[in-house]
């Protein structure tokens, strides 16, 4: 391709040089060639202009501009349809974006509500645990006090029983030492008299 361009540029340069050479000849009074005329009337410029006019008339006669216009109208309609579809897709995308933003804000609000409800439930559980712990401590304290009171009563009862037994043993030994059969007879006789006369 570059070679073709170089060859074309060289040919153009050659033609320009040839034209300069021809102008130089004309300017210095050299020989010039007169333009050829067809039938002595039509010059090559007139022929080219006539051919171009005929070509344009054929194009108009064959309705080529209308066909080009139709093709361009079809292209325009296609581009317009693509633009309409792009606008519709953009509107749908914006609607989806708004919907997801709404869902996202709703999810954030729901998460906040869940967090606050969880905090309230946790506070309630802590309060319940404190109340139950206080009740449990009171119950254990009462049970301990009852056990202590029962132990005290049992100890007092044991001490009394031992005191009674010790007193009985001491009284028996004192009685055994101080009383004899004579004292027993006096006691028995007094007890019988206290019963009253026998019928």
């Amino acid at each position: 391709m570059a070679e073709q361009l170089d060859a074309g540029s060289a040919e153009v340069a050659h033609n320009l040089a040839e034209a300069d050479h021809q102008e130089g000849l004309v300017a210095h009074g050299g020989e010039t060639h007169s333009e050829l005329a067809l039938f002595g009337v039509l010059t090559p410029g007139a022929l080219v202009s006539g051919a171009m006019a005929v070509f344009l008339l054929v194009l108009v006669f064959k309705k080529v501009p209308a066909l080009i216009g139709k093709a361009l109208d079809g292209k325009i309609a296609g581009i317009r349809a693509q633009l309409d579809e792009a606008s519709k897709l953009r509107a749908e995308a914006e609607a989806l974006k708004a919907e997801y933003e709404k869902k996202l804000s709703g999810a954030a609000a729901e998460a906040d509500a869940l967090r606050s409800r969880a905090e309230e439930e946790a506070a309630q559980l802590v309060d319940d645990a404190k109340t139950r712990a206080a009740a449990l401590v009171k119950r254990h304290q009462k049970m301990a006090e009852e056990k202590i009171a029962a132990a005290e009563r049992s100890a007092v009862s044991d001490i009394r029983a031992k005191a009674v037994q010790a007193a009985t043993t001491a009284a028996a030994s004192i009685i055994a030492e101080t009383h004899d059969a004579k004292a027993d007879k006096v006691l028995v006789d007094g007890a019988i008299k206290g019963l009253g006369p026998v019928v």
Side-chain angles (χ1 to χ4, degrees):
M1 179 92 175
E3 292 172 358
Q4 289 176 350
L5 286 174
D6 289 342
S9 297
E11 188 176 335
V12 168
H14 174 68
N15 288 340
L16 285 174
E18 188 68 31
D20 285 342
H21 178 65
Q22 290 294 330
E23 283 180 14
L25 288 177
V26 169
H28 295 312
E31 265 186 77
T32 59
H33 299 284
S34 62
E35 289 186 353
L36 298 175
L38 184 65
F39 304 116
V41 178
L42 297 174
T43 63
L47 276 176
V48 170
S49 296
M52 187 59 122
V54 169
F55 177 72
L56 289 174
L57 286 174
V58 169
L59 287 179
V60 169
F61 179 72
K62 292 290 186 178
K63 299 183 181 178
V64 172
L67 292 175
I68 292 172
K70 254 188 196 175
L72 288 175
D73 287 343
K75 284 275 190 188
I76 289 170
I79 291 170
R80 193 168 283 141
Q82 288 177 353
L83 287 174
D84 290 343
E85 187 177 351
S87 297
K88 189 189 296 182
L89 288 173
R90 180 176 178 174
E92 288 175 5
E94 287 176 353
L96 279 173
K97 180 184 174 189
E99 181 182 346
Y100 280 114
E101 285 176 350
K102 185 178 177 183
K103 284 182 181 179
L104 186 63
S105 65
E110 188 176 345
D112 289 340
L114 284 173
R115 186 173 55 244
S116 64
R117 193 171 4 178
E119 287 173 354
E120 289 173 6
E121 288 177 1
Q124 183 66 37
L125 287 173
V126 168
D127 290 342
D128 289 348
K130 285 180 181 176
T131 305
R132 274 183 269 161
L136 186 64
V137 167
K138 280 185 180 178
R139 205 167 41 242
H140 281 291
Q141 185 177 1
K142 187 176 179 183
M143 286 171 55
E145 288 171 354
E146 287 175 358
K147 282 183 182 179
I148 291 169
E152 286 176 352
R153 283 192 303 269
S154 177
V156 168
S157 165
D158 286 346
I159 290 171
R160 281 185 185 159
K162 286 181 183 178
V164 167
Q165 187 178 3
T168 305
T169 305
S173 67
I174 291 173
I175 290 171
E177 289 176 6
T178 57
H179 282 283
D180 56 359
K182 219 188 224 183
D184 286 341
K185 186 176 180 196
V186 172
L187 283 173
V188 171
D189 287 342
I192 291 173
K193 278 185 190 177
L195 290 176
V198 179
V199 183

